[in-house]
Amino acid sequence: MASQKDEEEAAARKTENGGEEEEEEEEEEGGNGSGEKKKKKKNKRKKKKKVNGAAGSKVSLSRGVTGFTDSYVRYGQTDPPSVPVSRLFEEKPFPEGEIVGVRVSSEEKRAMDRMQFELWNKMRHAAEVHREVRRYAQSFIEPGIELTEMCERIEGMNRQLVEERGLQAGIGFPTGCSINHVAAHFTPNPGDRTVLRYGDVMSVDFGTQIDGRIIDCAWTVSFDPKFDPLLEAVREATETGLKTAGVDVRLCDVGEAVQETMESYEIELDGATLPIRCVRNLNGHSMGPYQIHAGKSVPIVKGGDATRMEEGEIYAIETFATT
């Protein structure tokens, strides 16, 4: 079973080029009307080095994870993380992350941002904590680790970076680590000695909250390349859900778009080609202050609730795949 969840604080995707030369073909007009191609060298401008240092150098131990697991060092964070995130951004705003689905003008967006600054700031703070804890987890999750130890390390780092203080800040919910046929919401009990294996597919799901504003996000852990199509299916289905969601969009339309993307994939296992399908009875959901499920469900299959998303609502877009 594979799953992926995200929301408006998804990590920004950025690529950087060095100063190397790139050859491109340019067509010149000839006197006889025929085009003649010649090579032209184009010098790319070098990017300025980041003031806060490199963007990391360590790769994830599992498949399907892009970027470096120590990318937080760009903000002055240690590796492994030890500095509370609030201290890294005392004199600068928290990272915005990726913004999708904006259906208003830039002027209207700036006005709304000013009105909602306190809310966005809390969510971006919690999102950066989640992002750094997630990257940290991706640096040590590997075959042979006990699920109990994994969850304790994730939650310990979560509490440290968010500066846990009662209901004001802390973990959003117990860490989930659902393996293979378990689709979601499994958390090991004390004394559970389950060990992660090379051939497992696991969803890791944890949350961070500040003043009740919860960041709910998960990713899929896999080590065997044969499961790559499963990871790609949930990643692309999640992206589709994020791009489809928006003010006045019907919940059922999000589900239909997710299903169309997800079920366009297939996977070959043990010599058999199998279609990848959505887990029909699992959904995304709206969220409220101190409320992980605030009443609206976002399906991942067509049909169902035609209720529309409304301005000011916050959603977790979740996708779950199986064979």
Side-chain angles (χ1 to χ4, degrees):
M1 194 74 64
S3 74
Q4 184 163 332
K5 307 184 343 183
D6 215 332
E7 52 186 277
E8 62 185 18
E9 292 298 336
R13 296 162 184 77
K14 295 182 180 178
T15 58
E16 294 183 353
N17 297 316
E20 67 276 358
E21 294 181 337
E22 180 184 88
E23 286 191 344
E24 61 176 21
E25 287 192 338
E26 184 180 83
E27 185 170 307
E28 283 193 324
E29 289 186 3
N32 57 2
S34 62
E36 183 177 329
K37 292 182 179 179
K38 72 171 186 178
K39 300 267 187 172
K40 179 183 177 182
K41 288 189 175 180
K42 178 183 176 183
N43 292 319
K44 289 189 174 180
R45 295 176 61 187
K46 290 187 176 181
K47 297 277 186 178
K48 290 184 178 180
K49 291 184 178 180
K50 296 190 177 184
V51 175
N52 291 328
S57 59
K58 298 180 179 178
V59 297
S60 172
L61 299 177
S62 58
R63 301 186 64 81
V65 177
T66 59
F68 298 114
T69 61
D70 58 341
S71 58
Y72 39 68
V73 300
R74 75 181 71 183
Y75 302 124
Q77 182 60 275
T78 60
D79 183 38
S82 62
V83 182
V85 167
S86 65
R87 299 182 191 175
L88 300 176
F89 297 91
E90 289 177 329
E91 299 179 356
K92 54 188 173 183
F94 294 104
E96 281 192 356
E98 182 184 18
I99 299 176
V100 296
V102 178
R103 291 180 169 85
V104 296
S105 68
S106 57
E107 292 80 5
E108 290 175 312
K109 181 182 179 301
R110 286 195 294 269
M112 288 189 294
D113 282 348
R114 287 193 296 270
M115 293 170 57
Q116 298 288 341
F117 174 77
E118 186 176 353
L119 169 62
W120 299 145
N121 205 48
K122 290 175 182 177
M123 295 194 68
R124 286 168 179 155
H125 181 181
E128 181 58 30
V129 172
H130 195 291
R131 191 157 34 239
E132 294 189 15
V133 175
R134 187 167 69 244
R135 286 301 196 184
Y136 166 68
Q138 290 163 349
S139 74
F140 71 77
I141 296 177
E142 61 182 337
I145 192 171
E146 289 191 2
L147 299 189
T148 301
E149 176 194 349
M150 181 193 75
C151 291
E152 288 175 348
R153 290 177 68 175
I154 289 173
E155 293 181 1
M157 184 61 71
N158 202 357
R159 291 185 170 99
Q160 180 179 347
L161 297 191
V162 79
E163 298 171 279
E164 185 180 46
R165 47 197 184 280
L167 292 176
Q168 189 176 354
I171 63 174
F173 47 85
T175 301
C177 48
S178 307
I179 295 181
N180 300 334
H181 65 284
V182 180
H185 306 145
F186 172 80
T187 299
N189 291 318
D192 191 316
R193 303 300 300 272
T194 303
V195 173
L196 182 64
R197 300 168 300 177
Y198 174 80
D200 289 334
V201 176
M202 175 177 66
S203 169
V204 181
D205 183 8
F206 73 95
T208 304
Q209 69 87 14
I210 292 177
D211 286 339
R213 293 300 179 176
I214 304 169
I215 298 300
D216 176 11
C217 181
W219 79 97
T220 303
V221 173
S222 171
F223 307 100
D224 193 328
K226 71 180 181 181
F227 295 117
D228 286 355
L230 195 63
L231 272 62
E232 183 179 355
V234 293
R235 180 171 56 250
E236 291 302 315
T238 302
E239 291 292 335
T240 297
L242 288 169
K243 292 174 182 176
T244 306
V247 176
D248 287 334
V249 174
R250 299 187 305 173
L251 299 175
C252 58
D253 292 338
V254 179
E256 183 174 0
V258 168
Q259 183 178 24
E260 182 178 357
T261 299
M262 181 85 79
E263 298 189 356
S264 68
Y265 286 84
E266 58 187 20
I267 186 171
E268 185 175 339
L269 297 174
D270 301 324
T273 300
L274 305 172
I276 293 176
R277 298 188 176 93
C278 295
V279 181
R280 304 183 66 87
N281 62 338
L282 291 174
N283 308 280
H285 50 88
S286 59
M287 298 187 295
Y290 297 103
Q291 198 173 14
I292 189 65
H293 290 257
K296 290 185 178 180
S297 294
V298 186
I300 58 174
V301 292
K302 64 181 179 181
D305 194 351
T307 301
R308 296 181 183 273
M309 293 179 162
E310 300 178 41
E311 185 175 346
E313 292 181 324
I314 297 171
Y315 287 86
I317 300 300
E318 311 185 8
T319 62
F320 300 83
T322 189
T323 56

